[in-house]
Amino acid sequence: MVTSRSRRRLSPEARRSELIDAAIRLLDSEQNVTNWVQSVTAEADAAKGTFYLYFSSWEEMLVAVRNRVLQDSVDRFQRLAESTEPIDWWATLDVECTAAIESIARHGGLHAAVFHSNSALTPADEGRQNIIAAIARALQRGIDEGAFRRVTPHVAATLLFTVLHSAADAIVAGEQPRPWLEGIRDLTRHWLTPLPEER
């Protein structure tokens, strides 16, 4: 039975957001779910048909969930790019790389369902492109301020995102985070430290 919560008047965007939140909770919980659409609408206290008003399939929902998971990292890198405050770039890069890995390497079934399903492999996935663009903008600011070597920001951001995702995959598979975080720290120092002629 649909509860009074589901009968509240919500904007389409708010209702869609509630469904995404419900999917994230279920994926994090590692419940044995046989019908994801039905379980998500039940978790969101929504009518069964509500799901298809906003998503054509469970695969489309997974793309939306991944975009939501990645949005935190997008926002963090975007704030770096737009901030007018002085930044300790190396310390900040370490913090942001760690936060990005933690966001991707979510507990429960979320990581596998969202990042390793067919829907998550769509090349034009909005979330992946958004985070790469945000990382590129932050790197560009670091380059402009002389903290980083003059690399091509988009290429560097794409490579960095790939490294972060690989680290998250390894951590989810059971490897210890510390060696990966130290490896990424060493990689970024060797790769992005300005060349002598750029100093």
Side-chain angles (χ1 to χ4, degrees):
M1 179 176 177
V2 177
T3 68
S4 59
R5 176 173 177 263
S6 66
R7 290 193 291 267
R8 288 182 295 126
R9 290 178 180 265
L10 294 174
S11 68
E13 186 57 36
R15 181 68 71 200
R16 182 178 184 274
S17 183
E18 281 195 342
L19 291 169
I20 295 171
D21 290 340
I24 290 173
R25 288 194 299 273
L26 283 172
L27 288 163
D28 271 336
S29 73
E30 290 191 288
Q31 293 182 37
N32 184 18
V33 176
T34 56
N35 186 324
W36 281 102
V37 172
Q38 182 176 351
S39 296
V40 165
T41 52
E43 176 70 19
D45 288 333
K48 292 179 182 178
T50 302
F51 182 96
Y52 291 106
L53 293 175
Y54 303 98
F55 305 99
S56 64
S57 65
W58 173 241
E59 288 70 26
E60 184 178 316
M61 164 66 89
L62 287 180
V63 173
V65 168
R66 177 158 99 161
N67 292 346
R68 172 72 65 78
V69 170
L70 291 178
Q71 189 60 45
D72 177 61
S73 293
V74 171
D75 292 343
R76 291 172 67 104
F77 280 105
Q78 188 63 35
R79 283 194 294 271
L80 286 178
E82 296 176 352
S83 169
T84 58
E85 298 296 320
I87 293 176
D88 179 340
W89 279 104
W90 292 115
T92 299
L93 188 62
D94 291 342
V95 168
E96 296 306 326
C97 286
T98 300
I101 289 172
E102 289 174 351
S103 178
I104 296 170
R106 297 285 289 266
H107 297 295
L110 185 61
H111 181 87
V114 174
F115 290 98
H116 297 287
S117 67
N118 289 337
S119 62
L121 299 178
T122 304
D125 175 65
E126 179 183 352
R128 181 177 181 274
Q129 296 305 319
N130 286 347
I131 190 171
I132 288 172
I135 293 171
R137 286 190 290 270
L139 290 176
Q140 182 64 68
R141 180 183 169 189
I143 292 167
D144 292 342
E145 294 182 2
F148 300 144
R149 185 163 70 91
R150 294 198 174 279
V151 294
T152 303
H154 175 73
V155 173
T158 303
L159 291 171
L160 183 56
F161 177 79
T162 302
V163 168
L164 295 174
H165 195 168
S166 295
D169 282 346
I171 292 166
V172 168
E175 296 191 29
Q176 292 299 310
R178 183 174 176 180
W180 284 97
L181 295 173
E182 289 177 347
I184 290 170
R185 182 182 184 280
D186 290 344
L187 175 65
T188 53
R189 293 302 189 280
H190 288 294
W191 178 28
L192 294 176
T193 295
L195 298 172
E197 60 270 23
E198 295 177 340
R199 294 173 180 168

